[in-house]
Amino acid sequence: MPGIRETRQLPYSAEQMFDLVADVGSYNKFLPWVVATRIRSNSETEMVADMVVGFKSIRESLTSRVHKRRPEEIDVHYVDGPLQDLENTWHFRSLPNGQCEVEFKVDFTFKSKVFEALAGQYFDRAFRRMVEAFEQRAAELYGNSSSSAQIVAR
C-alpha cells in the first residue's frame, strides 16, 4: 500500500489545527481537487462524510468515517468509493509558545493496479499541494505566521 508521512511544526495551536482538519464541510473551499463535500452525520467523536474529488472531467465520490479525539487525533477510515483502501491519520501535539506539531499519514490502495501505478507517480506532488493548502487555510483563519512553519521529518 503506497503511503506518505509528514511531520510539521506550525505556529498554530493543536486545537486550531484540529478544528481546521475536522471541518471537512469546508474542504471544497480550499483543497485542490475537492469539488464538494456532504456531512452525513457528525458528533464530537465521529463523522461520516462524502467527498467528491475531481480533475478536469473525471469525478469520483468517496465516503469516509472520521474518528475524532480532540485535540490530539483525527483518524479517517475509508468506507466506499474508487479505492480499495484508504487510511489517513492526523496527530496534533502542543508545543511551547502556542505552536503545535502536526503528523500526517496516509496509506492507500487503488482497486486497479494499473491505475495505482499511474496515479502513484503524481500522488506525491498532489499530496504536497494539499499539505500547502492546509497551511494556507490556517494562515487565512488564524493569521499569517507561515514563515515559522517547518518540515520536521518526511
Side-chain angles (χ1 to χ4, degrees), residues 8 15 27-28 45 47 75 77 92 104 108 111 133 139 144 153:
R8 293 190 182 226
E15 290 82 5
Y27 281 12
N28 61 322
T45 59
M47 172 192 311
D75 217 6
H77 299 278
F92 309 96
F104 177 79
F108 61 95
K111 289 179 182 175
N144 191 354

Side-chain angles (χ1 to χ4, degrees), residues 1-9 75-76 85-91 101-109 123-128 130-131 135 150-154:
M1 182 183 298
I4 294 178
R5 284 144 180 69
E6 184 132 4
T7 302
R8 293 190 182 226
Q9 287 183 2
D75 217 6
V76 181
D85 194 28
L86 172 71
E87 295 296 323
N88 170 353
T89 304
W90 296 82
H91 291 278
E101 180 178 270
V102 178
E103 179 186 9
F104 177 79
K105 299 179 201 174
V106 63
D107 294 301
F108 61 95
T109 305
F123 189 77
D124 186 64
R125 191 173 348 159
F127 171 77
R128 304 282 173 230
M130 290 178 68
V131 168
E135 288 182 22
Q150 302 174 35
I151 296 175
V152 176
R154 289 187 186 193

Side-chain angles (χ1 to χ4, degrees), residues 88-147:
N88 170 353
T89 304
W90 296 82
H91 291 278
F92 309 96
R93 188 170 64 88
S94 294
L95 298 173
N97 302 322
Q99 298 182 352
C100 75
E101 180 178 270
V102 178
E103 179 186 9
F104 177 79
K105 299 179 201 174
V106 63
D107 294 301
F108 61 95
T109 305
F110 289 96
K111 289 179 182 175
S112 161
K113 294 297 178 193
V114 172
F115 188 70
E116 184 170 307
L118 292 171
Q121 298 173 21
Y122 301 100
F123 189 77
D124 186 64
R125 191 173 348 159
F127 171 77
R128 304 282 173 230
R129 193 161 164 208
M130 290 178 68
V131 168
E132 290 171 9
F134 275 102
E135 288 182 22
Q136 289 172 359
R137 180 69 170 176
E140 289 171 15
L141 294 175
Y142 309 127
N144 191 354
S145 300
S146 61
S147 60

Side-chain angles (χ1 to χ4, degrees), residues 39-68:
I39 308 303
R40 291 186 186 191
S41 63
N42 194 11
S43 73
E44 282 294 312
T45 59
E46 185 177 274
M47 172 192 311
V48 176
D50 299 324
M51 188 179 314
V52 177
V53 293
F55 182 73
K56 297 187 180 184
S57 64
I58 299 171
R59 296 278 187 271
E60 292 286 350
S61 296
L62 58 96
T63 301
S64 297
R65 182 173 310 279
V66 180
H67 297 279
K68 302 180 281 184

